Amino acid sequence: MITLSFFILGLIIGSFLNVVAWRLPKGEQFWRGHSHCPHCQKKLTWLELIPVFSFLWQGGRCRGCQKNISFRYVVMELATGGLFAGTYYFLASQNLVYFWPTLIFYLIIVSVLEIIFLIDWQDRIILDILIWPFVVLSILFWLFTGMGWLNHLLAGLGCAAFFGMQFLSSKGRWIGSGDIGLGFLLGIFLGHPLILIALYFSYVVGAISGLLLVAIRKKNWFSELPFAIFLIPGALFALFWGQIIWQWWLGFVGHF
């Protein structure tokens, strides 16, 4: 029941994250003002704001202008519900001393990463306001709990340096400056060795996706892809399954 409650909470938060991701790059306030249709500006009623249900009830169309509502809103709500429930379930099995502070911290960072993913997907930018305040929050959290703060700080610095070298050597062609800050945030959040799992997953999936897009002629060899859309799923994958993979890898290497 608690896991289900966090899933429902995630649906509600996911609806809010959609609003933030849509308004923040445009400089609009997301904490006030009525939600509205992006096409006809019709103000949405409370019934039209219920996560997932409202989309199904309206048949995926605005009741005002009848234009299609992007399916990404439902995907974001369901994804946030799954991540909230999964994060609670994951942490509840670890018998943490600071369980509730850790859970709140993880849910905040996961939510921010989802916003970064959406904005980089739609606008191909990574906003500093979504990076540096949460870098500071992460540092304060690890210092407060004492759970390997030096490991996390060094992982953040190392990941930022890794991206920074790519940025400088390619003069910004391979990777954007915003990815450096994102790497710093992810490194501090995950620590070592999870950040290594995240990077490996991100580069492999990114390379495969790029080759497929070239093969079907959606992109060419000189096209750019927003890296955060691979880096953030890689980080979430590492968060939940990274330790299992790392232990398997150590056991595999130990046989040689």
Side-chain angles (χ1 to χ4, degrees):
M1 289 301 296
I2 297 178
T3 304
L4 178 61
S5 298
F6 273 95
F7 177 76
I8 296 172
L9 174 63
L11 293 179
I12 298 170
I13 297 297
S15 181
F16 173 70
L17 299 184
N18 273 318
V19 175
V20 176
W22 177 260
R23 294 186 184 182
L24 194 59
K26 299 174 177 58
E28 299 178 10
Q29 294 180 342
F30 57 82
W31 59 88
R32 59 186 299 181
H34 292 284
S35 295
H36 56 267
C37 171
H39 303 294
C40 66
Q41 305 303 312
K42 172 187 175 297
K43 292 182 179 180
L44 304 183
T45 65
W46 68 270
L47 196 59
E48 294 170 301
L49 293 173
I50 300 175
V52 181
F53 168 80
S54 61
F55 182 88
L56 299 175
W57 174 60
Q58 296 175 95
R61 294 177 180 273
C62 171
R63 296 180 66 201
C65 62
Q66 294 301 306
K67 289 190 176 181
N68 290 333
I69 301 171
S70 175
F71 194 64
R72 82 155 214 206
Y73 294 111
V74 178
V75 172
M76 184 68 166
E77 290 164 358
L78 291 173
T80 308
L83 286 169
F84 270 47
T87 301
Y88 168 78
Y89 187 82
F90 172 72
L91 293 177
S93 64
Q94 298 189 28
N95 297 317
L96 297 172
V97 175
Y98 297 104
F99 172 74
W100 287 107
T102 302
L103 176 61
I104 294 171
F105 168 66
Y106 272 46
L107 294 181
I108 290 173
I109 299 299
V110 165
S111 298
V112 170
L113 293 180
E114 288 187 90
I115 296 172
I116 294 172
F117 177 95
L118 275 181
I119 293 177
D120 201 34
W121 178 286
Q122 67 191 16
D123 299 304
R124 299 199 173 187
I125 56 173
I126 297 177
L127 302 174
D128 287 343
I129 191 64
L130 295 172
I131 299 295
W132 301 111
F134 300 98
V135 165
V136 173
L137 173 65
S138 299
I139 294 173
L140 292 176
F141 173 78
W142 296 119
L143 285 172
F144 169 74
T145 60
M147 296 191 296
W149 67 269
L150 184 59
N151 172 300
H152 288 264
L153 180 60
L154 292 177
L157 292 171
C159 190
F162 174 64
F163 286 157
M165 287 187 292
Q166 293 183 67
F167 178 80
L168 292 174
S169 61
S170 68
K171 297 181 179 180
R173 293 191 303 271
W174 298 346
I175 202 167
S177 59
D179 295 310
I180 300 173
L182 178 58
F184 193 17
L185 174 61
L186 292 178
I188 290 180
F189 177 49
L190 295 173
H192 177 275
L194 298 188
I195 188 60
L196 299 180
I197 305 294
L199 291 175
Y200 180 80
F201 179 91
S202 303
Y203 277 96
V204 169
V205 173
I208 293 173
S209 300
L211 290 173
L212 288 175
L213 289 171
V214 170
I216 63 176
R217 299 184 180 181
K218 292 292 185 180
K219 298 287 184 180
N220 60 49
W221 293 106
F222 302 101
S223 299
E224 296 180 356
L225 288 174
F227 190 46
I229 68 173
F230 302 109
L231 191 56
I232 289 173
L236 295 174
F237 175 82
L239 175 64
F240 295 115
W241 294 287
Q243 284 293 350
I244 296 173
I245 294 174
W246 184 253
Q247 293 302 320
W248 171 84
W249 172 250
L250 292 179
F252 176 77
V253 172
H255 287 298
F256 293 93

